[in-house]
Amino acid sequence: MPFTKPQKEVLTSNARFRVLISGRRFGKTFLAINELAKFARFPNQKVWYVSPSYRQSKNICWAMLKDQIIKHKWAKKINDSDLSIILKNNSIIQLKGADNEQSLRGVGLNFIVLDEFADIKPQAWYEVLRPTLSDTGGHALFCGSPKGFNFAYDLYTRQDPEWKSFKYTTIEGEQVSAEEIEQAKNDLDERTFQQEYLATFVN
């Protein structure tokens, strides 16, 4: 599946920390899996995908990630019980949940995706995951829909040379028809539609 123009803008950014705020069905899981594979293409890398819970990571990402790795014949070992894949170059891709953030301590990571990060506790990033990137100079991609003016908003509006933020609506993601989005607008209250489809930060 080819990348859309918005996806390419995120993928080609050289920023160390990228924040993607998008409407629903933007294609961020497809983008995230591509980034996991891109950073794991170098030998002996450790890359993680983290969502608000372990179950959520499995439901969102695991099947699609496995399919892509198997399709390209990169896997040396796939472990379904701990959601990890060891590649032929000895890099490791692993899925985690932020619901028990203390279990994420103690490793050095080269790259991390934080998906649906508006639902992840800020301390999981600041106290646990951010330090895992320090000795490696690792990168991070945050992606998700907005959830009011919270932790996600703070990162999205951060002004720092190492950070770059992106925001796209569902229609800009080119995965959902204009007719379907118009129907959703009729079905939902205004606040929900603005948040979920227009990627707007609202109270």
Side-chain angles (χ1 to χ4, degrees):
M1 184 169 65
F3 295 114
T4 63
K5 182 180 178 181
Q7 287 173 335
K8 289 179 181 177
E9 290 176 348
V10 179
L11 292 170
T12 56
S13 170
N14 293 322
R16 183 181 178 193
F17 302 103
R18 291 167 291 166
V19 180
L20 168 62
I21 297 294
S22 66
R24 300 288 289 275
R25 313 311 303 164
F26 172 80
K28 59 184 177 57
T29 302
F30 178 62
L31 186 152
I33 288 172
N34 179 82
E35 289 297 270
L36 292 169
K38 183 178 79 175
F39 278 88
R41 76 187 189 276
F42 301 107
N44 304 308
Q45 303 294 291
K46 291 182 180 179
V47 303
W48 279 7
Y49 171 96
V50 179
S51 79
S53 73
Y54 186 78
R55 180 183 293 273
Q56 200 169 345
S57 291
K58 182 177 182 179
N59 291 341
I60 293 172
C61 188
W62 183 238
M64 190 184 299
L65 173 64
K66 273 204 311 181
D67 286 347
Q68 289 298 312
I69 297 299
I70 291 171
K71 174 183 175 182
H72 293 288
K73 300 180 180 179
W74 292 336
K76 180 163 70 174
K77 181 180 180 181
I78 297 176
N79 190 324
D80 286 286
S81 63
D82 69 358
L83 306 184
S84 68
I85 301 175
I86 301 176
L87 304 184
K88 292 177 180 178
N89 65 0
N90 292 318
S91 288
I92 300 174
I93 302 175
Q94 193 160 14
L95 275 57
K96 297 285 187 176
D99 41 350
N100 182 13
E101 70 265 20
Q102 298 308 315
S103 69
L104 306 178
R105 291 181 177 272
V107 297
L109 299 175
N110 302 99
F111 177 65
I112 184 170
V113 172
L114 285 87
D115 197 4
E116 300 299 347
F117 73 107
D119 292 320
I120 292 176
K121 290 183 288 186
Q123 59 264 36
W125 165 246
Y126 290 116
E127 299 177 14
V128 181
L129 293 172
R130 176 60 181 88
T132 67
L133 303 173
S134 292
D135 59 339
T136 63
H139 291 230
L141 170 65
F142 302 82
C143 47
S145 301
K147 292 289 179 65
F149 294 90
N150 64 357
F151 162 61
Y153 178 78
D154 293 340
L155 294 187
Y156 173 74
T157 56
R158 179 166 178 165
Q159 300 295 314
D160 187 299
E162 289 198 313
W163 289 71
K164 175 73 174 178
S165 293
F166 307 84
K167 187 162 81 74
Y168 303 103
T169 64
T170 296
I171 192 68
E172 290 172 325
E174 301 178 20
Q175 309 294 324
V176 180
S177 69
E179 292 78 13
E180 173 59 25
I181 292 173
E182 187 63 28
Q183 183 60 55
K185 185 177 181 180
N186 294 332
D187 293 341
L188 302 173
D189 64 83
E190 182 179 1
R191 179 195 175 281
T192 301
F193 179 77
Q194 288 180 347
Q195 177 175 281
E196 302 298 331
Y197 285 83
L198 301 184
T200 302
F201 291 96
V202 292
N203 284 321

XYZ file of all heavy atoms in Angstrom, residues 77 104 119 128 156 163 191:
69
model
N 13.065 -15.088 14.600
C 12.229 -15.734 15.615
C 11.071 -14.820 15.967
O 11.265 -13.637 16.230
C 13.047 -16.048 16.874
C 12.250 -16.753 17.965
C 13.109 -17.041 19.186
C 12.311 -17.744 20.273
N 13.133 -18.010 21.487
N 8.672 -1.153 32.237
C 9.357 -0.703 31.025
C 10.753 -0.162 31.325
O 11.457 0.259 30.412
C 8.527 0.392 30.333
C 7.067 0.040 30.022
C 6.363 1.234 29.388
C 6.985 -1.171 29.113
N -3.671 8.897 25.860
C -4.188 8.056 26.933
C -3.081 7.417 27.772
O -3.361 6.575 28.630
C -5.075 6.947 26.348
C -6.362 7.493 25.759
O -6.939 8.408 26.368
O -6.776 7.009 24.693
N 10.062 7.175 32.670
C 10.467 5.814 32.313
C 10.993 5.707 30.890
O 12.122 5.254 30.667
C 9.287 4.829 32.514
C 9.725 3.411 32.163
C 8.771 4.882 33.946
N 2.529 18.327 21.490
C 2.236 18.831 20.153
C 2.670 20.296 20.007
O 3.146 20.710 18.944
C 0.743 18.685 19.855
C 0.324 19.330 18.561
C 0.638 18.742 17.336
C -0.369 20.545 18.548
C 0.279 19.342 16.138
C -0.731 21.151 17.360
C -0.407 20.541 16.155
O -0.760 21.147 14.972
N 12.183 18.681 17.989
C 10.798 18.221 17.934
C 10.106 18.785 16.695
O 10.341 19.918 16.292
C 10.031 18.662 19.177
C 10.444 17.941 20.424
C 11.619 18.077 21.107
C 9.682 16.964 21.133
N 11.634 17.252 22.194
C 10.464 16.546 22.240
C 8.407 16.407 20.954
C 10.016 15.597 23.156
C 7.959 15.462 21.859
C 8.759 15.065 22.947
N -18.684 18.261 19.307
C -17.401 18.128 19.991
C -16.711 16.823 19.607
O -15.519 16.803 19.314
C -17.601 18.170 21.507
C -16.311 18.001 22.289
C -16.569 17.671 23.758
N -15.329 17.409 24.452
C -14.664 16.251 24.381
N -15.118 15.268 23.626
N -13.530 16.087 25.041
